[in-house]
Structures are given as structure tokens and as C-alpha cells.
Amino acid sequence: MIGRPVPPPLNAVQRIKKHATATTALTNSAVPRQVLALGIELEDGPLTKFHIERRFPGARDVVIDLEFCGLCHSDVHAGRGEWGAKELPLVPGHEMVGTVREVGGQVRDLDIGARVGVGCLVDSCRACEACREGLEQFCPNSVGTYGASDPNTGEYTQGGYSQQIVVNRDFVLNIPESLDPASAAPLLCAGITSYSPLRHHNVGPGSKVGVLGLGGLGHMAVKLAAAMGAHVTVFTRSEDKRESALGLGAETVVNSTDTAQLEAAADSLHLLIDTVAVPHELGTYLRTLKRDGALVQLSLPEGPMPGIDAGALIFKRLSYTGSLIGSIAETQEMLDFCAEHSITSDIELVDARSVNEAWDRMVAGDVKYRFVLDLATLGDPAKEDA
């Protein structure tokens, strides 16, 4: 999982020459209009290889040669029409890491060859209340990395299961050099999704944080909360995950099928992060919260959740809330925090030929803890049967 090396820092003269070269390259467009991708062409069909067209880059755009892209369960939901029909063909992927190939003339803060990332958003309206507050993830007209209408072209966006992407500089993240690029890719979704509620609820030394579920989101929540100084408790139905949870930074592990262990955990937490993606009752877990505690729903269960007893909230002034991804600024903060604390996702690297199998394994929960697609294999002639 060693990516291409990051070039050494450039001096001022070299940077000017780089930007001049980039501007000239954009003017004469050395950027291929067609790039190889992996996606869904037919309804209910498998992931297959085909070519897509990337837009001609503008003055504020960055052309990125992609190296790695995380496989998120959201990709499966979207690709298989489980969250409603999507325009086809559809190229998923919103956890991508690559290197800058070219920049527009108005992009002054990125060097060619710099390692960068793109997450769940590639644009927003820039004018609504959320955007003005720096919370573009809540913009009602935000543009998703795939399956959304692109205001630049009027066509649908296509994601990171591809060789290259063109993205506005404002939505491009800097990947710290100390982070392994493959295992940093899931930070662009799973990482920020876990980090944002921890920051919003001011988690720090002395905080008691619970994490329900130990999958892609859960393992990141454990690592991040522990690095923030919290005492972390993991709730899992599988006794086999006890050692894994402790190894990730948890100090307490509760088997949620054991009534005695659950009773011992009552009134022990300030915050509980719920990452379980199937419908499940919450009354048991609300009882683990202290007065003024909060249960935050991160996953989007496949079906309606059972109702909550209002008394469980009222008599301890509890909050039941949700959280999305973070803003671009918060995502960069998260990446820098991860670099400072040597945090990345635990991954299994897969090649283009294995992506359909990886999707099936994700649905079955057979991954520890995230799959990442090695995009170098996408154009490998030996893998043309993907």
C-alpha cells in the first residue's frame, strides 16, 4: 500500500515555473476528454469498465490523477438503486486520493504533483445561509461527487472509481505527506463522518464516549475519540470484536447481548455514536447516557427505526440527533488531526477485477474495516475482465 512518492518542496522560482506550465497546459488542453472508469451501465447490472468524459478544466479547477478510492456502503446503495433510481451510467466513489496533474490559472496554492483528496462534495451554491457559514454540507443545492447535476456542464457528476477527475479548488483537500495515501482515502467520508459529531459535541479529555457498532464508521469513531482524550466504550454483539476494539483504542467493551453488561453501563456516557446501518431499538442505549447526554445517529438504516419512548429523553434531558459529513474546512482539520496522531483507516486494498466481490462482501459485513480500490489496476490490460 505504498503510493507514489510526494515530490520535495519547491522553491519560489520553481513554483512560478510550475504554475506557468500548468496555465499553458490548460490553455492547450493536454487533458484527455475520455478517461477509463468503473461503474454501473445497466440497471441491476454489475460494475464494468467503460470510458467517461471529464469536463474541460476552468480557471479555478484542479485536474487530479487518481491513485486510490475508498469503497463506501453508500456506493452500493446508489449503484443498486436502493436509495432511488440514479441516472445511468453511474461511476461511484467519493473517497479519492491522487496527485495534481494540472491547475487553472487562478489556482495559486497547489503545486503539480501534490497529493490531494476529494470527498463527498464537489460544489455548492456558495450563497445560501449554510454556505455563508462555511457549512456547505448542508447547502440545499450542494453537488455530490457522483449522481448529481453538475452546474458546470448540466450533466451528472461521476465519481472516483476512475483514472482522473476535475474538481473546483475550493473542494480539493490537501493530504498530509505523513498519511499513507491508500489508507487515507476513507478519511474523506468515514473519517469526517465520525470526526464531525465528536467535534460538535466538544469531545476531549474527561469525555465518556460510546460507539455502537465496530465497522467502517465505528472503527474510525473509536480511533478519533481516543485520540481526543476520551474514554471510549464499544458496544458490539460479537464477542470476537473485543480484542479488536481494545486494539483500536477503546478502554471498555460491552457485549450488547449481555443484559448484565448493559446494566453496568447505565448512566456512564456523555455521548453515544450510533453507526449501525440496520433498524434497531434505541431504548437500551439511551439508558447508557448521563443526564444531558446525546445519542448521535451516523448511519442511515435500511428501513424505519423503532420508536423512542419520550420519557427516556425527557427525564434525563437527553438528545437524539443525527450528523452528516463535515464542511470542507472541517474535513481539512480532520486530515491534519489524523496526521498529527498517525490515524488512518484499517483497509483491504482491492484491484479493479475484485470490486463486484468487494461490494458483496461489504453487504455481508465481511471487511475489516474498509475496502480501497487501487486505481492503478483500472488501466492494467491484465485486468480487462473486471
Side-chain angles (χ1 to χ4, degrees):
M1 297 185 296
I2 299 177
R4 284 173 280 185
V6 178
L10 303 177
N11 61 37
V13 174
Q14 289 173 317
R15 287 181 179 176
I16 290 171
K17 290 180 177 179
K18 281 281 190 179
H19 285 301
T21 301
T23 303
T24 301
L26 288 178
T27 301
N28 296 299
S29 187
V31 180
R33 299 286 286 171
Q34 300 283 329
V35 300
L36 194 59
L38 190 62
I40 305 290
E41 288 191 281
L42 302 174
E43 186 177 354
D44 298 325
L47 290 152
T48 58
K49 289 182 182 180
F50 51 87
H51 285 86
I52 60 172
E53 187 175 272
R54 291 299 189 191
R55 74 170 187 263
F56 184 84
R60 286 289 300 164
D61 282 335
V62 181
V63 182
I64 305 169
D65 288 331
L66 298 177
E67 300 173 293
F68 302 101
C69 187
L71 309 187
C72 178
H73 209 139
S74 299
D75 300 342
V76 180
H77 291 310
R80 295 180 175 176
E82 294 166 355
W83 285 349
K86 289 284 189 182
E87 186 85 6
L88 298 178
L90 176 70
V91 177
H94 56 211
E95 301 176 344
M96 63 200 86
V97 171
T99 57
V100 175
R101 173 175 175 153
E102 301 179 21
V103 297
Q106 295 179 13
V107 179
R108 302 294 183 183
D109 59 344
L110 278 180
D111 294 320
I112 307 305
R115 183 160 280 119
V116 294
V118 179
C120 302
L121 298 178
V122 292
D123 212 340
S124 67
C125 80
R126 321 296 182 95
C128 69
E129 182 180 5
C131 286
R132 293 196 306 271
E133 293 179 6
L135 297 170
E136 57 276 352
Q137 73 271 32
F138 297 116
C139 171
N141 295 306
S142 62
V143 181
T145 306
Y146 62 85
S149 179
D150 185 347
N152 295 285
T153 64
E155 299 178 354
Y156 279 85
T157 54
Q158 302 289 3
Y161 294 13
S162 59
Q163 293 176 315
Q164 193 179 90
I165 195 167
V166 180
V167 181
N168 185 283
R169 172 64 183 101
D170 295 343
F171 290 82
V172 176
L173 287 306
N174 301 305
I175 303 296
E177 293 184 17
S178 64
L179 296 179
D180 171 71
S183 51
L187 299 180
L188 279 304
C189 179
I192 185 57
T193 300
S194 303
Y195 182 86
S196 188
L198 296 172
R199 291 286 287 132
H200 182 73
H201 289 273
N202 299 312
V203 168
S207 297
K208 307 290 186 181
V209 175
V211 177
L212 179 56
L214 196 64
L217 287 174
H219 95 288
M220 288 306 311
V222 172
K223 288 187 177 187
L224 291 165
M228 291 175 181
H231 180 289
V232 181
T233 298
V234 169
F235 295 84
T236 176
R237 298 177 61 85
S238 175
E239 191 63 32
D240 293 341
K241 293 185 177 181
R242 179 175 294 276
E243 291 305 315
S244 295
L246 295 173
L248 291 168
E251 296 185 49
T252 306
V253 180
V254 174
N255 187 324
S256 54
T257 66
D258 187 319
T259 302
Q261 290 186 40
L262 286 170
E263 288 178 352
D267 297 302
S268 65
L269 304 174
H270 298 110
L271 181 70
L272 178 59
I273 303 294
D274 187 347
T275 72
V276 176
V278 297
H280 53 285
E281 68 88 23
L282 294 175
T284 297
Y285 302 106
L286 288 171
R287 287 193 287 275
T288 67
L289 293 171
K290 296 175 174 287
R291 174 175 45 82
D292 292 321
L295 192 159
V296 182
Q297 191 74 49
L298 290 194
S299 61
L300 189 59
E302 303 170 14
M305 291 281 285
I308 295 176
D309 177 7
L313 302 177
I314 291 170
F315 290 108
K316 286 202 290 184
R317 200 163 58 188
L318 302 181
S319 299
Y320 175 46
T321 184
S323 185
L324 194 58
I325 56 172
S327 66
I328 297 301
E330 188 174 52
T331 304
Q332 188 63 60
E333 176 188 299
M334 176 273 304
L335 289 168
D336 295 339
F337 179 87
C338 287
E340 180 184 352
H341 294 275
S342 301
I343 295 172
T344 53
S345 181
D346 289 9
I347 69 165
E348 180 179 334
L349 201 61
V350 298
D351 62 33
R353 185 171 50 188
S354 306
V355 172
N356 285 293
E357 178 188 353
W359 273 26
D360 290 337
R361 286 179 57 193
M362 261 197 291
V363 173
D366 179 23
V367 55
K368 191 177 178 179
Y369 291 94
R370 300 286 285 198
F371 286 118
V372 172
L373 172 61
D374 180 356
L375 290 164
T377 67
L378 185 55
D380 185 344
K383 311 279 185 196
E384 285 298 325
D385 56 342

